[in-house]
Amino acid sequence: TECILEPLSLPESPEGVADVERSPYVPCIFCKECYLLAEQNQLLKHMIIEHKLVIADVKLVADFRRYVLYWKKRFAEQPITDFCSVIRTNSQAPLEEQDNYFLLCDVLPEDRLLREQLQQKRLREILEQQQQERYDTSFHSTCMFCDQEFTGNRSVLLNHMAREHAFNIGLPDNIVNCYEFLAVLQQKLDNLQCLYCEKVFRDKNTLKDHMRKKQHRRINAKNKEYDRFYIINYL
């Protein structure tokens, strides 16, 4: 029977402001090595090679930085074997050729609770952001297709692009971090890349003709880069 754990204390700085909100770096759980959050895979590789730690289903961790900081603190308090399963490699080989790896996964109740709390925290934050954007009347942006400027609520621009340019990215209320979303799309167009098939063209007019004739004025739903801009992906 699994015990019911108390809510976990997520790491904060002495000033009471979460370190994760201020630093773009993620430290190794065991040593002083640090990596940019965007270099998450390099950190995971480092911890496997240098410290024999494997984190299971890491893609399902809602906030990787907070997750790492939590376990860095816990491993400093107790031995790693109190938390991790031990996987022995080359078990049939001589002892000196064997290796022990440590698996950190949500089979451990504490790890599962941590993952759930990080997911709930991210959901709360993203819902607050969505709510703020839904009622924001200070939105200002330019249409990607006709350079017309829009001020007020984001829905005015998104509805304009759907109605006038047949470019539909979904209901405005389903979008979150709209400014960043539009910036990503604009950068692709500036790089002469079709938003749907993602081919690159030699000039802007050729790209426009291609997207109009091929009815490619839409985003590629298979591109996971866009998932973070749709609220449903956080639920």
Side-chain angles (χ1 to χ4, degrees), residues 85-93 95 97-102:
S85 303
V86 178
I87 303 171
R88 177 168 294 175
T89 61
N90 298 328
S91 57
Q92 303 301 319
L95 192 60
E97 296 179 15
Q98 296 180 13
D99 258 327
N100 286 339
Y101 284 82
F102 303 97

Side-chain angles (χ1 to χ4, degrees), residues 63-142:
D63 191 323
F64 180 69
R65 191 187 286 119
R66 280 193 176 98
Y67 181 87
V68 166
L69 290 173
Y70 178 87
W71 283 115
K72 186 177 183 71
K73 178 176 181 293
R74 293 293 283 131
F75 286 173
E77 297 170 343
Q78 293 176 234
I80 189 173
T81 48
D82 287 357
F83 306 104
C84 295
S85 303
V86 178
I87 303 171
R88 177 168 294 175
T89 61
N90 298 328
S91 57
Q92 303 301 319
L95 192 60
E96 63 273 10
E97 296 179 15
Q98 296 180 13
D99 258 327
N100 286 339
Y101 284 82
F102 303 97
L103 178 65
L104 183 60
C105 65
D106 62 2
V107 171
L108 177 71
E110 184 174 350
D111 185 88
R112 183 170 67 252
L113 182 58
L114 174 61
R115 291 174 186 240
E116 290 172 355
Q117 289 187 357
L118 291 174
Q119 174 68 21
Q120 290 165 5
K121 181 175 177 61
R122 183 178 70 166
L123 180 57
R124 286 195 302 271
E125 291 172 347
I126 210 71
L127 287 174
E128 288 172 3
Q129 176 68 22
Q130 182 208 29
Q131 189 76 347
Q132 186 272 325
E133 291 182 22
R134 287 178 65 186
Y135 296 104
D136 180 24
T137 57
S138 63
F139 179 86
H140 180 268
S141 189
T142 302

Side-chain angles (χ1 to χ4, degrees), residues 5 14 25 29 45 54 61-64 69 81 89 94 112 123 145 150 152 163 168 173 178 194 198 207-208 226:
L5 301 175
Y25 291 93
I29 290 178
K45 181 179 179 181
V54 178
V61 175
D63 191 323
F64 180 69
L69 290 173
T81 48
T89 61
R112 183 170 67 252
L123 180 57
F145 301 103
F150 292 86
R163 183 177 61 253
N168 187 0
D173 283 354
C178 188
C194 173
E198 302 183 337
L207 171 62
K208 285 184 176 179
Y226 302 128

Side-chain angles (χ1 to χ4, degrees), residues 47-59:
M47 290 194 292
I48 291 174
I49 294 174
E50 300 297 331
H51 306 290
K52 312 297 185 186
L53 177 71
V54 178
I55 301 176
D57 297 320
V58 69
K59 291 182 178 180

